Amino acid sequence: MSHTHRILTEVLQKVHPNQVPRQQKEALNTFKQEVTVFLQQHYRINDERVGDPFAGGSQVKGTDMALNYDLDLFLPFKHGFRGKTQAIKADLLNALRARFEQTGIEVRDQRVSVGLRKLVGMQTIEIDVVPGMEKAPGSYKHNSENEDDKYLILYDRESCTERTTNIARQLRRIKQETLHYRDTVRLLKAWRHKEAHVISSYALELMVHQAAQVTDAPKTGAPEVLLKHILKHNIAFLDANGALQDIGANYQWPD
């Protein structure tokens, strides 16, 4: 066994989600239910929102890890609610602050989400609520099996612009097309966590997905083989100042 293989294997064992204590998982699930019920009661279905909150982050994709065990909840709003996406996000931020800050829960405005941080014992559990608005009146169909009915528009605070997303297509493609690279994503997330880097989980997933689709990409292999391929591809990509392709909504990120 090579030195690199041993180290990467040990890292993967430590960051695998099965290392998350049962009590932490239960606390996160309880908090999820509390947040979900509040959102359902605060925003009226059909009048203000067009669907229930749904999970769409790393846990669903199978790229979650123990060092930053959190949950993304997406909340689809009706087209025109509060006028625009920036106002929707501000309304959600105020609503969550009014409900949760008085109980000691941290509520913060993030790039495209409102983050909730709750201390349970010695563990911090995290939920990011991502508000999105349907692209046109009646265009979003929560229970449809057609991915074209799932587009949402998010507000990006850092770029002061709107971002189109399609969580259903994004989830399917990550799961289907990067199946054997999930541990590679976990290794990169562990690096990001250690270095406190600002790059997003989704950006890392897009970089891995992109490299996994090239002709000479290994279909499977040891952790060091897959990681070496991903790094080799993306170092050249970053040196060339390449643009990431959003695999859900199918457009290149301008930044």
Side-chain angles (χ1 to χ4, degrees), residues 109-150:
D109 188 12
Q110 302 178 152
R111 182 164 187 168
V112 297
S113 65
V114 177
L116 301 171
R117 303 292 181 268
K118 180 179 182 180
L119 186 63
V120 179
M122 299 298 292
Q123 301 289 341
T124 299
I125 56 176
E126 307 177 10
I127 293 179
D128 292 337
V129 183
V130 185
M133 183 177 71
E134 60 178 348
K135 292 177 67 176
S139 65
Y140 182 87
K141 298 177 177 59
H142 195 65
N143 296 315
S144 174
E145 296 183 2
N146 186 347
E147 290 178 350
D148 288 337
D149 295 332
K150 302 290 186 170

Side-chain angles (χ1 to χ4, degrees), residues 235-249:
I235 287 171
F237 170 74
L238 292 171
D239 281 344
N241 197 28
L244 286 172
Q245 180 78 12
D246 188 292
I247 60 173

Side-chain angles (χ1 to χ4, degrees), residues 3 5-6 39 54 57 61 63 71 88 95 114 124 130 148 160 165 239 242-244:
H3 182 64
H5 180 82
R6 179 178 58 80
L39 294 173
F54 65 93
K61 299 171 188 172
T63 60
L71 179 71
I88 289 176
V114 177
T124 299
V130 185
D148 288 337
C160 298
T165 191
D239 281 344
L244 286 172

